[in-house]
C-alpha cells in the first residue's frame, strides 16, 4: 500500500450510503508480532463454491434485498477487493481467505447487507454438508494461539468473566478493549520481542486498528470462538456517488465464525 495517506487507493460507487468494508484478505496464526499467511481450505465435499460465499448464498436463497457497487482500482497491481456479502463475484476462484486472481481494474458487484440479527439456516443438504466440512476446518485452524499470549489474556478473561456461550460476549470483549486502550496513530514503537497483543493491552494502551483487531482476534480465540485478522478498506460512501477512497481508509478488523 502507498505510504501517503491522502493518495486515492480506489473509487467506489454504491447504491447504499454508509461504511462498506472492502475485504482484501485474512491471516492465519498469530506469531507474537503479527500474523502468518492463512492456511487454505481444501474442499473435501466437491461442492463448487468458495467458503467466502457461504453466507451470500444463503442470503440469496432467502431473498434478502441486495445492493450494488462499482469498484475502480487505481493500479493494475492492486488485489481484488469485495464487500460483505458479495454474491456475483469470483465465486470459484482464490482461497477461503482471499480472492487472488487476475481481474479488471473496474468491476461491478451485487452484495447483501446482513445485520446478523437472524440465524441463517441452509435449505439444501449440499450447503449444509459443505458448511459442516468447512466449520470443522475453521475450528481446527482459527483457534490457534501461542501459550504465552493465552496465559496473558486468561487473566483478563477470568477477571471479566468472558464466556463464549454469553450472547453478548463479542460486544463485551470489544467494549472492554476500547475501555482500556485508545487510538493513537503516533504511538510509541513497541519494544522488539514484545508480544504485540499483550503489550498493547497491558502496557502501551495505545495503537491503531491493527492493534485493536489483533487483540480482539486473540481474545475470541482464547475463549473458543474461531476468529481471524482481516485487512482491506473501510470505505465511507454516499449513495450513487463516485467516492474517492484514500489510503486513510486502510483498515484492519476481525472476522468471527459463529
Amino acid at each position: 500500500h502507498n505510504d501517503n495517506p491522502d493518495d486515492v487507493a480506489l473509487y467506489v460507487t454504491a447504491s447504499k450510503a454508509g461504511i462498506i468494508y472492502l475485504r482484501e484478505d485474512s491471516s492465519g496464526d498469530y506469531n507474537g508480532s503479527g500474523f502468518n499467511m492463512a492456511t487454505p481450505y481444501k474442499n473435501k465435499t466437491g461442492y463448487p463454491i468458495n467458503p467466502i460465499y457461504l453466507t451470500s448464498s444463503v442470503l440469496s436463497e432467502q431473498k434478502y434485498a441486495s445492493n450494488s457497487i462499482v469498484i475502480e482500482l487505481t493500479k493494475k497491481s492492486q488485489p481484488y477487493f469485495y464487500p460483505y456479502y458479495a454474491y456475483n463475484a469470483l465465486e470459484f476462484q482464490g482461497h477461503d481467505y482471499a480472492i487472488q486472481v487476475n481481474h479488471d481494474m473496474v468491476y461491478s458487484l451485487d452484495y447483501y447487507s446482513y445485520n446478523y440479527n437472524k440465524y441463517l439456516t441452509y435449505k439444501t443438504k449440499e450447503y449444509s454438508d459443505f458448511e459442516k466440512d468447512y466449520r470443522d476446518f475453521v475450528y481446527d485452524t482459527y483457534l490457534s494461539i501461542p501459550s504465552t499470549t493465552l496465559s496473558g489474556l486468561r487473566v483478563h478473561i477470568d477477571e471479566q468473566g468472558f464466556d463464549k456461550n454469553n450472547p453478548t460476549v463479542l460486544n463485551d470483549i470489544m467494549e472492554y478493549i476500547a475501555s482500556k486502550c485508545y487510538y493513537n496513530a503516533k504511538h510509541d514503537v513497541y519494544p522488539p520481542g514484545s508480544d504485540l497483543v499483550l503489550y498493547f493491552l497491558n502496557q502501551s494502551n495505545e495503537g491503531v486498528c491493527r492493534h485493536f483487531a489483533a487483540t480482539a482476534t486473540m481474545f475470541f480465540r482464547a475463549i473458543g470462538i474461531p476468529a481471524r485478522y482481516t485487512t482491506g478498506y473501510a470505505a465511507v460512501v454516499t449513495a450513487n456517488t463516485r467516492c474517492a477512497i484514500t489510503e486513510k481508509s486502510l483498515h484492519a478488523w476481525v472476522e468471527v465464525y459463529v
Side-chain angles (χ1 to χ4, degrees):
H1 298 284
N2 197 311
D3 291 331
N4 187 343
D6 294 319
D7 282 355
V8 175
L10 57 155
Y11 293 92
V12 171
T13 306
S15 61
K16 184 177 180 180
I19 300 176
I20 302 176
Y21 287 87
L22 297 175
R23 193 182 186 285
E24 179 182 350
D25 66 10
S26 295
S27 300
D29 290 346
Y30 175 66
N31 57 33
S33 61
F35 290 84
N36 299 330
M37 186 174 179
T39 301
Y41 164 66
K42 296 181 179 179
N43 184 356
K44 299 190 292 291
T45 69
Y47 198 72
I49 191 172
N50 188 318
I52 288 174
Y53 298 101
L54 272 171
T55 303
S56 308
S57 300
V58 180
L59 293 172
S60 175
E61 189 179 68
Q62 298 187 6
K63 308 301 182 183
Y64 270 68
S66 64
N67 309 292
S68 62
I69 187 171
V70 176
I71 298 173
E72 304 174 50
L73 304 179
T74 57
K75 298 180 181 67
K76 290 184 178 180
S77 60
Q78 284 176 288
Y80 188 80
F81 298 100
Y82 48 100
Y84 299 88
Y85 288 93
Y87 67 92
N88 61 339
L90 304 173
E91 293 97 335
F92 311 123
Q93 304 181 62
H95 300 294
D96 64 298
Y97 57 84
I99 303 299
Q100 299 171 323
V101 293
N102 293 326
H103 52 271
D104 295 331
M105 290 186 66
V106 180
Y107 51 96
S108 302
L109 300 169
D110 294 312
Y111 69 98
Y112 297 103
S113 296
Y114 173 50
N115 57 12
Y116 312 104
N117 62 358
K118 179 182 177 182
Y119 184 75
L120 298 176
T121 57
Y122 297 94
K123 293 182 180 179
T124 66
K125 185 176 185 300
E126 289 84 0
Y127 273 151
S128 182
D129 290 347
F130 180 59
E131 192 278 334
K132 182 183 183 304
D133 186 69
Y134 185 61
R135 179 176 290 266
D136 290 343
F137 165 80
V138 166
Y139 272 82
D140 287 342
T141 306
Y142 292 110
L143 288 174
S144 172
I145 181 171
S147 58
T148 53
T149 309
L150 178 60
S151 297
L153 290 179
R154 181 56 60 188
V155 175
H156 297 271
I157 291 168
D158 293 343
E159 285 180 352
Q160 299 298 314
F162 293 137
D163 183 343
K164 70 176 182 179
N165 297 312
N166 184 337
T168 66
V169 71
L170 298 179
N171 282 331
D172 292 344
I173 287 176
M174 290 189 292
E175 290 175 0
Y176 178 68
I177 297 170
S179 73
K180 291 185 64 66
C181 306
Y182 65 96
Y183 189 95
N184 182 7
K186 298 181 179 180
H187 64 85
D188 291 338
V189 176
Y190 287 15
S194 62
D195 185 299
L196 180 145
V197 166
L198 297 182
Y199 190 82
F200 173 64
L201 193 61
N202 297 329
Q203 294 175 264
S204 172
N205 302 122
E206 60 178 14
V208 293
C209 56
R210 72 185 186 94
H211 299 99
F212 285 89
T215 302
T217 300
M218 289 300 99
F219 256 120
F220 295 143
R221 290 187 184 185
I223 65 170
I225 297 177
R228 61 187 186 183
Y229 178 89
T230 303
T231 57
Y233 287 93
V236 180
V237 301
T238 302
N240 303 311
T241 303
R242 186 173 182 259
C243 300
I245 309 303
T246 68
E247 293 292 349
K248 288 179 181 177
S249 297
L250 188 64
H251 197 46
W253 60 90
V254 55
E255 294 179 340
V256 296
Y257 203 89
V258 293

